Short mmCIF file of all heavy atoms in Angstrom, two decimals:
data_model
loop_
_atom_site.label_atom_id
_atom_site.label_comp_id
_atom_site.label_asym_id
_atom_site.label_seq_id
_atom_site.Cartn_x
_atom_site.Cartn_y
_atom_site.Cartn_z
N ALA A 52 -11.68 5.45 -4.18
CA ALA A 52 -11.11 5.44 -2.87
C ALA A 52 -10.16 4.28 -2.67
O ALA A 52 -9.06 4.41 -2.09
CB ALA A 52 -12.18 5.48 -1.79
N ASN A 53 -10.60 3.07 -3.11
CA ASN A 53 -9.76 1.91 -2.95
C ASN A 53 -8.51 2.00 -3.79
O ASN A 53 -7.39 1.60 -3.35
CB ASN A 53 -10.50 0.64 -3.38
CG ASN A 53 -9.99 -0.59 -2.75
OD1 ASN A 53 -9.97 -0.78 -1.52
ND2 ASN A 53 -9.41 -1.47 -3.55
N GLY A 54 -8.56 2.59 -4.94
CA GLY A 54 -7.41 2.83 -5.81
C GLY A 54 -6.44 3.82 -5.15
O GLY A 54 -5.22 3.61 -5.19
N ALA A 55 -7.00 4.88 -4.55
CA ALA A 55 -6.11 5.84 -3.93
C ALA A 55 -5.43 5.18 -2.71
O ALA A 55 -4.23 5.47 -2.42
CB ALA A 55 -6.90 7.06 -3.50
N HIS A 56 -6.17 4.33 -1.99
CA HIS A 56 -5.56 3.60 -0.83
C HIS A 56 -4.48 2.70 -1.30
O HIS A 56 -3.40 2.62 -0.66
CB HIS A 56 -6.64 2.82 -0.13
CG HIS A 56 -6.16 2.09 1.04
ND1 HIS A 56 -5.71 2.68 2.16
CD2 HIS A 56 -6.05 0.74 1.31
CE1 HIS A 56 -5.33 1.79 3.07
NE2 HIS A 56 -5.56 0.58 2.57
N ALA A 57 -4.61 2.07 -2.46
CA ALA A 57 -3.57 1.19 -2.98
C ALA A 57 -2.35 1.99 -3.38
O ALA A 57 -1.23 1.53 -3.28
CB ALA A 57 -4.11 0.45 -4.21
N GLY A 58 -2.55 3.29 -3.73
CA GLY A 58 -1.48 4.12 -4.06
C GLY A 58 -0.56 4.35 -2.88
O GLY A 58 0.68 4.44 -3.05
N ALA A 59 -1.14 4.39 -1.69
CA ALA A 59 -0.28 4.50 -0.47
C ALA A 59 0.59 3.29 -0.27
O ALA A 59 1.76 3.39 0.16
CB ALA A 59 -1.19 4.71 0.73
N HIS A 60 0.09 2.11 -0.64
CA HIS A 60 0.91 0.92 -0.53
C HIS A 60 2.03 0.93 -1.57
O HIS A 60 3.12 0.37 -1.29
CB HIS A 60 0.03 -0.35 -0.70
CG HIS A 60 -0.93 -0.52 0.39
ND1 HIS A 60 -0.51 -0.87 1.71
CD2 HIS A 60 -2.27 -0.46 0.47
CE1 HIS A 60 -1.59 -0.93 2.54
NE2 HIS A 60 -2.66 -0.71 1.79
N VAL A 61 1.74 1.47 -2.75
CA VAL A 61 2.84 1.61 -3.76
C VAL A 61 3.98 2.44 -3.18
O VAL A 61 5.17 2.13 -3.37
CB VAL A 61 2.29 2.25 -5.03
CG1 VAL A 61 3.45 2.54 -6.01
CG2 VAL A 61 1.23 1.41 -5.68
N ALA A 62 3.61 3.51 -2.46
CA ALA A 62 4.65 4.35 -1.83
C ALA A 62 5.45 3.54 -0.83
O ALA A 62 6.70 3.66 -0.77
CB ALA A 62 4.02 5.55 -1.18
N ALA A 63 4.77 2.81 0.02
CA ALA A 63 5.49 2.02 1.04
C ALA A 63 6.39 0.98 0.43
O ALA A 63 7.52 0.78 0.83
CB ALA A 63 4.47 1.32 1.96
N LEU A 64 5.91 0.29 -0.59
CA LEU A 64 6.75 -0.75 -1.28
C LEU A 64 7.87 -0.06 -2.02
O LEU A 64 9.01 -0.62 -2.11
CB LEU A 64 5.85 -1.54 -2.23
CG LEU A 64 4.83 -2.46 -1.59
CD1 LEU A 64 3.94 -3.08 -2.65
CD2 LEU A 64 5.52 -3.56 -0.76
N GLY A 65 7.64 1.15 -2.50
CA GLY A 65 8.68 1.89 -3.20
C GLY A 65 9.83 2.24 -2.24
O GLY A 65 10.99 2.20 -2.58
N VAL A 66 9.44 2.63 -0.97
CA VAL A 66 10.45 2.92 0.03
C VAL A 66 11.31 1.66 0.31
O VAL A 66 12.53 1.74 0.39
CB VAL A 66 9.77 3.42 1.30
CG1 VAL A 66 10.79 3.42 2.46
CG2 VAL A 66 9.15 4.81 1.12
N ALA A 67 10.62 0.51 0.44
CA ALA A 67 11.38 -0.71 0.67
C ALA A 67 12.31 -1.09 -0.49
O ALA A 67 13.45 -1.46 -0.30
CB ALA A 67 10.39 -1.88 0.90
N GLY A 68 11.80 -0.94 -1.73
CA GLY A 68 12.62 -1.24 -2.86
C GLY A 68 13.81 -0.30 -3.01
O GLY A 68 14.94 -0.68 -3.33
N ALA A 69 13.54 1.00 -2.76
CA ALA A 69 14.63 1.97 -2.84
C ALA A 69 15.70 1.71 -1.78
O ALA A 69 16.91 1.93 -2.05
CB ALA A 69 14.04 3.39 -2.62
N ALA A 70 15.33 1.22 -0.60
CA ALA A 70 16.27 0.89 0.40
C ALA A 70 17.23 -0.23 -0.02
O ALA A 70 18.46 -0.15 0.18
CB ALA A 70 15.57 0.47 1.70
N TYR A 71 16.65 -1.24 -0.71
CA TYR A 71 17.52 -2.29 -1.26
C TYR A 71 18.51 -1.71 -2.31
O TYR A 71 19.67 -2.07 -2.35
CB TYR A 71 16.64 -3.37 -1.94
CG TYR A 71 15.99 -4.31 -0.99
CD1 TYR A 71 14.60 -4.40 -0.96
CD2 TYR A 71 16.72 -5.06 -0.09
CE1 TYR A 71 13.92 -5.26 -0.11
CE2 TYR A 71 16.06 -5.95 0.77
CZ TYR A 71 14.69 -6.02 0.78
OH TYR A 71 14.06 -6.88 1.66
N TRP A 72 18.00 -0.83 -3.19
CA TRP A 72 18.78 -0.25 -4.22
C TRP A 72 19.93 0.56 -3.67
O TRP A 72 21.12 0.43 -4.07
CB TRP A 72 17.92 0.59 -5.14
CG TRP A 72 18.68 1.20 -6.32
CD1 TRP A 72 19.03 0.63 -7.48
CD2 TRP A 72 19.16 2.56 -6.37
NE1 TRP A 72 19.69 1.50 -8.26
CE2 TRP A 72 19.80 2.70 -7.62
CE3 TRP A 72 19.13 3.63 -5.49
CZ2 TRP A 72 20.41 3.89 -8.00
CZ3 TRP A 72 19.71 4.82 -5.91
CH2 TRP A 72 20.34 4.96 -7.15
N VAL A 73 19.65 1.42 -2.67
CA VAL A 73 20.64 2.22 -2.08
C VAL A 73 21.69 1.36 -1.32
O VAL A 73 22.90 1.62 -1.46
CB VAL A 73 20.05 3.25 -1.08
CG1 VAL A 73 21.13 4.00 -0.29
CG2 VAL A 73 19.13 4.25 -1.81
N ALA A 74 21.26 0.37 -0.58
CA ALA A 74 22.17 -0.52 0.05
C ALA A 74 23.04 -1.27 -0.88
O ALA A 74 24.28 -1.39 -0.69
CB ALA A 74 21.41 -1.49 0.93
N ARG A 75 22.48 -1.67 -2.03
CA ARG A 75 23.32 -2.41 -3.02
C ARG A 75 24.33 -1.47 -3.68
O ARG A 75 25.49 -1.88 -3.92
CB ARG A 75 22.34 -2.95 -4.10
CG ARG A 75 23.07 -3.69 -5.24
CD ARG A 75 22.08 -4.57 -5.99
NE ARG A 75 20.88 -3.86 -6.33
CZ ARG A 75 20.73 -3.06 -7.36
NH1 ARG A 75 21.82 -2.89 -8.19
NH2 ARG A 75 19.63 -2.44 -7.65
N ARG A 76 23.97 -0.23 -3.93
CA ARG A 76 24.89 0.70 -4.49
C ARG A 76 26.01 1.06 -3.57
O ARG A 76 27.05 1.59 -4.02
CB ARG A 76 24.13 2.00 -4.92
CG ARG A 76 23.20 1.84 -6.08
CD ARG A 76 23.93 1.55 -7.41
NE ARG A 76 24.79 2.67 -7.72
CZ ARG A 76 24.48 3.69 -8.51
NH1 ARG A 76 23.20 3.79 -8.95
NH2 ARG A 76 25.30 4.70 -8.80
N ASN A 77 25.79 0.88 -2.26
CA ASN A 77 26.85 1.28 -1.29
C ASN A 77 27.44 0.07 -0.58
O ASN A 77 27.95 0.20 0.56
CB ASN A 77 26.19 2.21 -0.25
CG ASN A 77 25.88 3.57 -0.79
OD1 ASN A 77 26.73 4.45 -0.82
ND2 ASN A 77 24.63 3.80 -1.22
N GLU A 78 27.42 -1.09 -1.23
CA GLU A 78 27.97 -2.28 -0.58
C GLU A 78 29.41 -2.12 -0.18
O GLU A 78 29.82 -2.63 0.88
CB GLU A 78 27.84 -3.45 -1.59
CG GLU A 78 26.44 -4.05 -1.65
CD GLU A 78 26.33 -5.14 -2.69
OE1 GLU A 78 27.41 -5.56 -3.23
OE2 GLU A 78 25.20 -5.57 -2.97
N GLY A 79 30.21 -1.39 -1.00
CA GLY A 79 31.62 -1.23 -0.72
C GLY A 79 31.95 0.11 -0.16
O GLY A 79 33.19 0.48 -0.11
N ASN A 80 30.95 0.87 0.33
CA ASN A 80 31.21 2.24 0.80
C ASN A 80 31.85 2.17 2.20
O ASN A 80 31.26 1.70 3.15
CB ASN A 80 29.90 3.01 0.88
CG ASN A 80 30.11 4.49 1.10
OD1 ASN A 80 31.09 4.91 1.71
ND2 ASN A 80 29.19 5.30 0.62
N VAL A 81 33.12 2.67 2.27
CA VAL A 81 33.83 2.54 3.58
C VAL A 81 33.29 3.50 4.62
O VAL A 81 33.68 3.37 5.80
CB VAL A 81 35.32 2.84 3.32
CG1 VAL A 81 35.95 1.78 2.41
CG2 VAL A 81 35.56 4.28 2.74
N HIS A 82 32.42 4.42 4.25
CA HIS A 82 31.85 5.32 5.25
C HIS A 82 30.84 4.60 6.17
O HIS A 82 30.51 5.15 7.24
CB HIS A 82 31.17 6.51 4.56
CG HIS A 82 32.15 7.44 3.91
ND1 HIS A 82 32.50 7.31 2.56
CD2 HIS A 82 32.87 8.49 4.36
CE1 HIS A 82 33.38 8.23 2.24
NE2 HIS A 82 33.64 8.96 3.30
N PHE A 83 30.40 3.45 5.74
CA PHE A 83 29.48 2.67 6.60
C PHE A 83 30.31 1.73 7.41
O PHE A 83 30.92 0.78 6.86
CB PHE A 83 28.47 1.90 5.79
CG PHE A 83 27.39 2.78 5.07
CD1 PHE A 83 27.65 3.23 3.77
CD2 PHE A 83 26.26 3.16 5.72
CE1 PHE A 83 26.76 4.02 3.13
CE2 PHE A 83 25.35 3.97 5.05
CZ PHE A 83 25.57 4.40 3.81
N ALA A 84 30.38 1.88 8.73
CA ALA A 84 31.25 1.12 9.56
C ALA A 84 30.97 -0.43 9.51
O ALA A 84 31.86 -1.21 9.52
CB ALA A 84 31.12 1.51 11.03
N HIS A 85 29.71 -0.78 9.38
CA HIS A 85 29.33 -2.17 9.29
C HIS A 85 28.55 -2.52 8.00
O HIS A 85 27.72 -3.47 8.00
CB HIS A 85 28.49 -2.60 10.54
CG HIS A 85 29.21 -2.47 11.82
ND1 HIS A 85 30.21 -3.34 12.18
CD2 HIS A 85 29.11 -1.63 12.83
CE1 HIS A 85 30.65 -3.03 13.39
NE2 HIS A 85 30.02 -1.95 13.76
N GLY A 86 28.80 -1.77 6.96
CA GLY A 86 28.12 -2.00 5.71
C GLY A 86 26.78 -1.23 5.63
O GLY A 86 26.34 -0.65 6.62
N ALA A 87 26.20 -1.25 4.46
CA ALA A 87 24.98 -0.44 4.19
C ALA A 87 23.71 -1.22 4.37
O ALA A 87 22.61 -0.66 4.06
CB ALA A 87 25.04 0.17 2.81
N ALA A 88 23.78 -2.40 4.85
CA ALA A 88 22.59 -3.29 4.90
C ALA A 88 21.54 -2.72 5.86
O ALA A 88 20.32 -2.99 5.73
CB ALA A 88 22.93 -4.70 5.31
#
Side-chain angles (χ1 to χ4, degrees):
N53 202 66
H56 180 65
H60 293 293
V61 175
L64 292 172
V66 169
Y71 285 121
W72 181 81
V73 173
R75 179 164 47 84
R76 290 292 299 270
N77 288 276
E78 282 176 10
N80 192 332
V81 297
H82 291 93
F83 291 93
H85 295 290

